[in-house]
């Protein structure tokens, strides 16, 4: 069992022990992902790059960041598990499509959404 499978099983066991499956619809889990990632973003709002670097050095602030990352991951793993999404396959497929849209030569100077080049 690889790490991703182990994490998925850990989340599944945690949620199933609490009988949360009835609450974990696709919609609710997608909302959870957005909510938790927004909470992560909120931690960095109005912060300079220097201040953000300091946050990672502070034990309490780093833990808050890690907690929001973990919360987001929990919802993602649960969403994928309950909807039969193989995350490694989905990621590989998406990276393959992105490699066609964002070629190395055209994308190396700056990051822009495809189709928005000047």
């Amino acid at each position: 069992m690889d790490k991703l499978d182990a994490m998925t099983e850990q989340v599944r066991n945690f949620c199933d022990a609490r009988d949360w499956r009835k609450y974990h619809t696709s919609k609710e889990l997608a909302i959870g992902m957005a909510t938790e990632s927004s909470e992560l973003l909120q931690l960095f709002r109005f912060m300079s790059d220097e201040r953000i670097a300091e946050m990672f050095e502070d034990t309490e602030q780093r833990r808050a960041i890690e907690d929001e990352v973990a919360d987001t991951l929990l919802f993602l793993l649960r969403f994928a598990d309950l909807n039969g999404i193989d995350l490694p396959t989905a990621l590989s497929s998406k990276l393959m499509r992105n490699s066609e849209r964002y070629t190395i030569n055209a994308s190396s100077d700056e990051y822009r959404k495809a189709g928005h080049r000047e």
Side-chain angles (χ1 to χ4, degrees):
M1 176 180 299
D2 66 14
K3 286 184 180 183
L4 183 60
D5 289 336
M7 289 188 303
T8 299
E9 184 175 338
Q10 187 178 10
V11 169
R12 183 185 311 126
N13 292 340
F14 180 88
C15 294
D16 286 351
R18 288 153 181 81
D19 196 28
W20 286 352
R21 188 176 293 258
K22 59 190 167 204
Y23 305 115
H24 288 173
T25 64
S26 296
K27 178 191 83 167
E28 294 302 327
L29 293 169
I31 290 169
M33 281 187 275
T35 301
E36 295 302 337
S37 63
S38 293
E39 290 178 9
L40 175 62
L41 183 59
Q42 181 64 32
L43 296 175
F44 300 119
R45 189 171 185 197
F46 304 121
M47 299 289 179
S48 67
D49 290 342
E50 294 79 19
R51 178 66 186 106
I52 290 170
E54 291 171 4
M55 291 170 68
F56 279 99
E57 297 300 320
D58 179 270
T59 303
E60 187 176 318
Q61 291 176 334
R62 184 179 184 92
R63 174 174 260 166
I65 294 165
E66 289 175 352
D67 283 351
E68 297 308 335
V69 169
D71 286 343
T72 304
L73 179 60
L74 185 150
F75 277 99
L76 175 61
L77 291 172
R78 187 69 168 164
F79 183 94
D81 186 35
L82 293 180
N83 289 290
I85 296 171
D86 181 301
L87 288 172
T89 300
L91 177 62
S92 293
S93 176
K94 181 61 175 176
L95 287 174
M96 178 85 64
R97 288 191 307 281
N98 280 354
S99 71
E100 296 167 4
R101 289 180 68 195
Y102 306 102
T103 63
I104 293 171
N105 292 337
S107 299
S108 61
D109 291 333
E110 60 183 86
Y111 176 81
R112 289 193 178 195
K113 187 90 171 153
H116 292 86
R117 299 188 197 286
E118 296 175 5

